[in-house]
Amino acid sequence: MDINTRRGFFEKMAMIAAVFAGGSKVSAQQPAAPDQGAAPAVPGTDAPRRNSHVQNGIYYFSGTGSNDGYPKDDHVLVTDPFEKHVTRTMDALKKSVERAGSNMDSLIHLDVFLCLPHADSIPMPTGKARFDAHKAQYDALNKIYGTYFSQGKAPSRACMAVEWIPGDSLIEIVGSALVVGPPIPSAEK
């Protein structure tokens, strides 16, 4: 599937989730206000935030994974520990929302996608072992995830197991956040 199509799908899902979570009514057809533009790209990486944008005071982002915001020579692999994928993804998410003028406590909703590693050196579990592997990922996610939010400030969240995530990531996050301040320009050019 074309990456732009996949990201577009997740972007639309994030907008729908924001409406259900109490956000303002949004439509993909509405033009952005003149003072609201696209979120800055991530310089020096292969993962620009093309489909992330601010509209009506809400920052919508799609496809944040464990290698987003990191240079190619610092990418994690599917064989790296799942906890490393989660920490790097949450760090990338934090940087992304801060660049857009938001913060972790202003997140409205997140959709979290997890997948098991696809590598010749790692056998793919089946049956109950596969369920147990996903459950172990979910438990590891929750231990790290909660440390990124103030007490009682974690956003609503859906978590799904999927077959594959692009970019050697074992986790990907899509969501929306309320913009609470001005965007922070990227230090890198």
Side-chain angles (χ1 to χ4, degrees):
M1 179 180 272
D2 181 358
I3 238 174
N4 289 332
T5 303
R6 181 182 58 80
R7 290 187 194 271
F9 167 78
F10 289 127
E11 178 182 307
K12 288 176 186 167
M13 293 304 294
M15 286 199 275
I16 291 168
V19 170
F20 285 119
S24 61
K25 184 176 178 183
V26 230
S27 168
Q29 312 322 331
Q30 293 177 330
D35 61 335
Q36 299 173 336
V42 182
T45 70
D46 62 348
R49 300 282 53 137
R50 288 185 192 103
N51 289 323
S52 299
H53 64 278
V54 174
Q55 186 169 343
N56 296 333
I58 298 175
Y59 174 52
Y60 297 94
F61 51 90
S62 60
T64 302
S66 57
N67 287 315
D68 289 323
Y70 296 92
K72 283 186 176 188
D73 62 349
D74 188 25
H75 276 198
V76 294
L77 305 174
V78 295
T79 53
D80 287 328
F82 179 72
E83 293 79 4
K84 184 173 185 178
H85 283 262
V86 173
T87 300
R88 286 172 55 110
T89 301
M90 294 301 291
D91 288 346
L93 174 61
K94 184 176 187 293
K95 289 176 189 173
S96 175
V97 297
E98 287 174 351
R99 276 193 313 273
S102 189
N103 58 55
M104 295 298 281
D105 289 345
S106 296
L107 286 164
I108 298 167
H109 178 79
L110 298 177
D111 290 324
V112 180
F113 301 89
L114 309 175
C115 77
L116 297 174
H118 288 269
D120 291 338
S121 62
I122 302 172
M124 185 59 71
T126 60
K128 183 165 176 358
R130 189 176 184 99
F131 171 84
D132 291 342
H134 282 299
K135 178 72 168 88
Q137 281 186 323
Y138 183 73
D139 292 342
L141 165 70
N142 285 336
K143 285 181 183 172
I144 297 167
Y145 179 88
T147 66
Y148 282 82
F149 304 100
S150 300
Q151 182 75 23
K153 295 287 188 175
S156 65
R157 179 186 83 180
C159 190
M160 294 147 272
V162 296
E163 186 65 24
W164 175 76
I165 295 172
D168 288 334
S169 187
L170 298 179
I171 178 172
E172 183 164 302
I173 299 178
V174 176
S176 56
L178 184 63
V179 176
V180 294
I184 299 172
S186 178
E188 300 177 37
K189 293 284 178 185

